[in-house]
Each structure stands twice: as C-alpha cells, then as structure tokens.
Amino acid sequence: MQFVYVFFGWERSVADGRVLHGVITRRHELKVPHEYYYLVDAGYTNCEGFLASFRSQRYHLNEWRQSYQPRPTEEFFNMKHASARNVIERCFGLLKIRWAILRSPSFYPIKTHN
C-alpha cells in the first residue's frame, strides 16, 4: 500500500463532502494526476478526479454472490467499484491491526499528531 496524500485535522464525524472540499482547497491540496481517478464512496459526488458509484443501483458484493449477474452497465460498474473498495478497506484493516493507535481516537491533541 502506498499513501499519496495524508490529511490531518478532522476529528470524529465529519461529512465526506466537507473533508473533500478541505482537501482540494488548502494550500498543499491533493492533486489527482490527469486521466486518473480516486475511488470514493457514495457520500461523495462524481467530480473531476473522484469516482463514486452509481446511486439507485445494486452495490454490495454479497448481492452478486447468488449467481446474479449485473444487468445494466451501471450495476457492472458498481460491482467492480465495490470489489476495488473492498481491497482498500482490507488494507486499512491490516494497518489498524498493526498499529493500535489507529483503532480508536487518541487522547493526544491534533497539533501533536500533525
């Protein structure tokens, strides 16, 4: 796993759109290379450089396990999107197993983390 950008400073529960806006508008913003996309979850909207799943279509991998084949192209895209996000989530799970500080909120202030 390779991190291309780390953003500190948001504590607890914050809306996804607010975090994305903070990331792309700060001085050292996240830059998405031309013709590349970052996978984002349904809390975000599709925009340049960020690729979310189609709404109102099947998404979760277990919905395709009972030999159901995705019919419209949107469902097929969502199946591939979910599969890729599943790999990403497993990688973060491994990081949390390795470093316990990532499993729960820290008692250190954000300035110390930065």
Side-chain angles (χ1 to χ4, degrees), residues 50-89:
F50 300 94
L51 199 55
S53 60
F54 285 94
R55 296 176 192 261
S56 304
Q57 298 291 328
R58 292 176 199 255
Y59 181 77
H60 299 286
L61 291 177
N62 62 358
E63 295 174 343
W64 286 290
R65 290 211 172 107
Q66 285 81 27
S67 72
Y68 173 83
Q69 293 298 314
R71 297 262 157 82
T73 55
E74 291 87 359
E75 277 190 7
F76 182 76
F77 174 84
N78 280 1
M79 180 179 69
K80 297 300 181 181
H81 189 278
S83 180
R85 281 205 57 232
N86 193 5
V87 171
I88 295 165
E89 294 292 336

